[in-house]
Amino acid sequence: MKAIIFDLDGVIIHTDKYHYQAWKKLADRLGVYFDEEINNRLRGVSRMESLDIVLENSDYSSANSEMKNEMAEEKNNTYRELLEKMTPEDLEAEVLDTLTALKQQGILMSIGSSSKNARLILNKIGLGDFFDAISDGNNITNSKPDPEVFLKAADYLNVNACDCVVVEDADAGISAAHRAEMKAIAMGDAVKYGNGDWNIGAFREILDII
């Protein structure tokens, strides 16, 4: 194992509440039903695919692409406004300590996230220059469970996919890791599906695995 690729939302930092608030604001404006259960289905999914899930049982499900792009942009603007409130204090000490210990061991680290706001979030929490590479929604065509985001991360790190371990909180991300022929550490929501090569309840347990 030469490198670890981390999902961002729900792994390094928890921004679920901001995603939920932004989608809920859009849904309420449109008169579309939206709750926590629907929000959970959006984990690891691209913005446009998430919008399709939000709108799937509404009159807007067949809206044209221009209208959907405007809706997605509206949601993202709200989300980015909420992200502006983030500070390094939002990063848990356990996460920072674990990442620092891994770096001291000489392990390469990358972000592998479908989010197009990954760099903004990392800058806000003080990790803008921490990772060796960032693969995110701005450089991929296909979202998880497609392995593209992880394969590009490995390429940016200049390591073979089989030498990488992925840390994910979404089952779609675990599937993407396996499709990339990488091992996967499941945490959070992904644990209940039982598809990870390892399952952890605390971020610091990554050190025990490595």
Side-chain angles (χ1 to χ4, degrees), residues 11 48 60 70-71 81-82 92 143 156 207 210:
V11 174
M48 295 309 296
Y60 294 97
E70 290 175 356
M71 292 177 187
E81 288 173 5
L82 293 169
E92 296 179 7
S143 297
Y156 296 158
L207 291 173
I210 302 305

Side-chain angles (χ1 to χ4, degrees), residues 76-94:
N76 190 51
N77 288 338
T78 301
Y79 179 58
R80 289 178 67 89
E81 288 173 5
L82 293 169
L83 292 180
E84 289 295 335
K85 301 176 183 179
M86 298 184 74
T87 71
E89 293 183 0
D90 288 302
L91 181 64
E92 296 179 7
E94 177 184 334

Side-chain angles (χ1 to χ4, degrees), residues 1 3-12 95 98-99 102 108-113 131 144 150 164-171 173-174 177 182-188 190-191 196-200 202-207 209-210:
M1 200 285 300
I4 303 179
I5 303 172
F6 296 92
D7 179 37
L8 182 59
D9 295 344
V11 174
I12 299 296
V95 174
T98 302
L99 291 174
L102 291 168
L108 294 172
M109 290 182 284
S110 174
I111 292 295
S113 169
F131 292 92
K144 305 166 189 175
F150 295 143
C164 297
V165 173
V166 169
V167 183
E168 262 284 355
D169 75 320
D171 193 51
I174 300 295
M182 300 176 181
K183 296 291 187 182
I185 299 173
M187 61 180 291
V191 171
D197 297 288
W198 300 274
N199 297 300
I200 60 174
F203 195 84
R204 62 178 175 274
E205 294 177 40
I206 295 171
L207 291 173
I209 294 171
I210 302 305

